[in-house]
Amino acid sequence: RREVVDRAMLVAALKPFGEVKGARIGPSNAVCRFETPEKAKAVLAALEKGLVSLRRSILNGGWAPSDTLSDESLRIASGLPPAPAPASPAPAVKAAAAAPP
């Protein structure tokens, strides 16, 4: 039987090793983003040493091939409302220098 793990549980397990900026849990793995590369390295070192546990399991991990967590998905996963849409840009103005008289 597979145990259900939610985002809050994963963040709590990783927090002692580095502040989690965002996390998304998939059906077979999770992707986490940390405040700095140094924090991510600290968490990875803890994972490699078998120091991170969740319920009755020791977690493992590695570098993600790419950061698939958009800022918008992180906001939503963190329980924050979606970011307001940016204001439309002001219309461009074409200017030309006047020829000297």
Side-chain angles (χ1 to χ4, degrees):
R1 176 179 120 105
R2 189 175 209 150
E3 293 199 37
V4 176
V5 174
D6 65 21
R7 182 186 176 282
M9 295 165 67
L10 178 62
V11 169
L14 297 174
K15 191 170 185 168
F17 306 99
E19 190 67 31
V20 178
K21 185 175 177 188
R24 183 173 58 212
I25 296 182
S28 62
N29 62 12
V31 177
C32 300
R33 183 187 286 173
F34 297 91
E35 289 289 325
T36 65
E38 292 75 25
K39 299 272 183 177
K41 289 175 187 174
V43 172
L44 185 56
L47 288 167
E48 289 172 345
K49 293 176 185 174
L51 301 176
V52 185
S53 63
L54 181 59
R55 290 190 172 182
R56 297 172 292 211
S57 299
I58 303 294
L59 301 181
N60 63 28
W63 290 113
S66 65
D67 184 351
T68 58
L69 295 174
S70 69
D71 288 336
E72 187 64 21
S73 67
L74 288 173
R75 287 182 62 81
I76 293 167
S78 299
L80 298 172
S88 57
V93 176
K94 186 174 182 180

